[in-house]
Amino acid sequence: MRVVVAGATGLIGTALLPLLRTRGHHVTALVRDESKAVAADTADTVVADALDPVAVRGALLASRPDVVVHQLTALRQMSAEAFETTARLRTEGTANLIMAAREAGAAKLVVQSISFATAPLGDPVLSEDAPLYLNAPDASWSRTVQAVAEMERLVLGTPDIAGTILRYGTLFGARTQYDPAGPFGAVIRRGQLPIPETAAGVTSFLHVRDAALAALSAVDSDVAGVFNIADDEPAEGATWLPEYARQLGGPPPRPIPSDVAEKVLGWFANYQLTAMRGARTDRARSELGWKPTVSWRHGLTSG
Ligand SMILES: NC(=O)c1ccc[n+]([C@@H]2O[C@H](COP(=O)([O-])OP(=O)(O)OC[C@H]3O[C@@H](n4cnc5c(N)ncnc54)[C@H](OP(=O)(O)O)[C@@H]3O)[C@@H](O)[C@H]2O)c1
């Protein structure tokens, strides 16, 4: 098949391109900067900023894909601006890709979403049917979740194109947030990241390569829909954070009272450690035939 990957220069995109080629697909990288075509490591590139509908239309009409894979985020930095740009990529960027994909005659869209946008209600580990946290009390997170919901609605509601949403867990692996050289590494090694006394929030992690393998399965599958994609070991903050500190060679995190934790850690980190829910992946296993190859336990700090 002819496959265009938007976000081809990203962590998941760069892992996905060779997998698609090995399967015999004709792969075109959609890049926003021609000089980055080398990073995409493919002879076929088209250039477009995903937020520019005219450029996206030109790129997809030139490449005539059967499948469009959307791995666009601006999350390399974790700033308010990056979250806002990512929300725009999920709404405007997705709408631009859909319009262009329809015109170019594509039959399928495979789109990156997140599994941890569910509301913190009910079981500690939730399926794809759980409601999203649209009314989260933090403005940045509610904007993120609303953009995720809008993106999913657009993809699943597009006539004539099968939409597959891959709700990825919290990514780990080289160059992610959890890379030992990343933002948490030095802080945790110095014992400067405390843990709330009751850290019962659940994180479902996902290695970058398993995220790419799920996208490969989705491209090759006849099944469409919404799929949680995460490892086999959803873990409470009280479990994974001390183990991550141990893997980094740091001291066990210092407990702090729950009533001051949000102030010390910030809203999202406190939410992740105290209330977030994990993700069930039964549907991806049974319908997409995908399963994780690695768990966070065997190396949250590995490449
Ligand atoms: N799901 C999660 O767990 C989660 C949550 C929060 C943060 N993160 C972090 O996000 C990163 C995830 O990797 P990823 O592969 O999703 O992201 P990534 O490595 O940042 O890749 C994003 C891709 O989107 C492209 N892009 C961004 N804006 C664009 C635009 N306007 N037009 C065209 N292309 C555009 C980038 O191109 P350029 O190369 O030109 O920039 C890049 O190819 C990791 O660092 C991870 O730790 C992940």
Side-chain angles (χ1 to χ4, degrees):
M1 282 187 292
R2 296 178 65 81
V3 183
V4 168
V5 179
T9 53
L11 293 187
I12 298 165
T14 47
L16 175 60
L17 259 51
L19 295 173
L20 288 166
R21 279 198 297 263
T22 303
R23 244 346 126 75
H25 296 299
H26 179 277
V27 184
T28 301
L30 186 151
V31 297
R32 61 173 155 172
D33 175 352
E34 195 133 28
S35 68
K36 291 212 178 159
V38 179
D41 188 27
T42 180
D44 294 290
T45 53
V46 283
V47 179
D49 187 309
L51 296 175
D52 177 345
V54 176
V56 172
R57 178 177 181 272
L60 293 201
L61 286 176
S63 45
R64 293 270 162 205
D66 302 301
V67 183
V68 176
V69 179
H70 171 349
Q71 298 284 358
L72 299 164
T73 78
L75 294 172
R76 233 168 259 156
Q77 267 97 47
M78 297 295 280
S79 61
E81 195 189 343
F83 277 108
E84 178 53 29
T85 306
T86 300
R88 288 189 61 207
L89 287 167
R90 286 176 172 145
T91 52
E92 294 166 49
T94 301
N96 293 341
L97 281 176
I98 289 175
M99 210 157 51
R102 289 190 73 189
E103 218 177 315
K108 183 188 276 192
L109 288 165
V110 175
V111 175
Q112 170 185 164
S113 184
I114 50 175
S115 68
F116 43 93
T118 46
L121 302 168
D123 292 344
V125 182
L126 300 171
S127 79
E128 294 84 350
D129 300 326
L132 299 183
Y133 203 10
L134 296 166
N135 62 349
D138 178 73
S140 174
W141 193 241
S142 66
R143 166 81 169 124
T144 292
V145 177
Q146 284 165 20
V148 161
E150 170 69 2
M151 174 180 74
E152 294 191 354
R153 190 187 64 74
L154 289 171
V155 171
L156 298 173
T158 300
D160 310 324
I161 301 192
T164 296
I165 305 283
L166 300 174
R167 288 187 178 169
Y168 290 147
T170 298
L171 292 170
F172 72 99
R175 293 183 292 134
T176 67
Q177 307 288 314
Y178 294 86
D179 184 312
F184 303 141
V187 177
I188 291 177
R189 265 193 296 271
R190 288 197 297 266
Q192 289 172 342
L193 189 75
I195 187 165
E197 265 167 0
T198 309
V202 177
T203 297
S204 278
F205 288 98
L206 174 68
H207 194 275
V208 168
R209 183 173 158 78
D210 281 336
L213 285 166
L216 179 68
S217 298
V219 166
D220 285 339
S221 173
D222 291 332
V223 178
V226 181
F227 301 93
N228 283 339
I229 305 291
D231 78 7
D232 275 337
E233 300 193 72
E236 290 191 357
T239 302
W240 73 259
L241 186 53
E243 171 58 17
Y244 179 43
R246 194 193 63 75
Q247 289 178 12
L248 283 166
R254 172 177 53 88
I256 52 170
S258 298
D259 57 351
V260 299
E262 182 177 324
K263 199 162 176 208
V264 175
L265 293 167
W267 186 85
F268 186 81
N270 183 53
Y271 170 67
Q272 179 179 5
L273 290 168
T274 60
M276 205 162 83
R277 298 306 203 250
R280 295 183 65 106
T281 58
D282 323 42
R283 191 183 289 173
R285 286 159 184 277
S286 63
E287 296 186 26
L288 280 185
W290 171 91
K291 62 178 190 316
T293 62
V294 62
S295 145
W296 72 271
R297 277 194 183 276
H298 302 114
L300 203 44
T301 53
S302 66

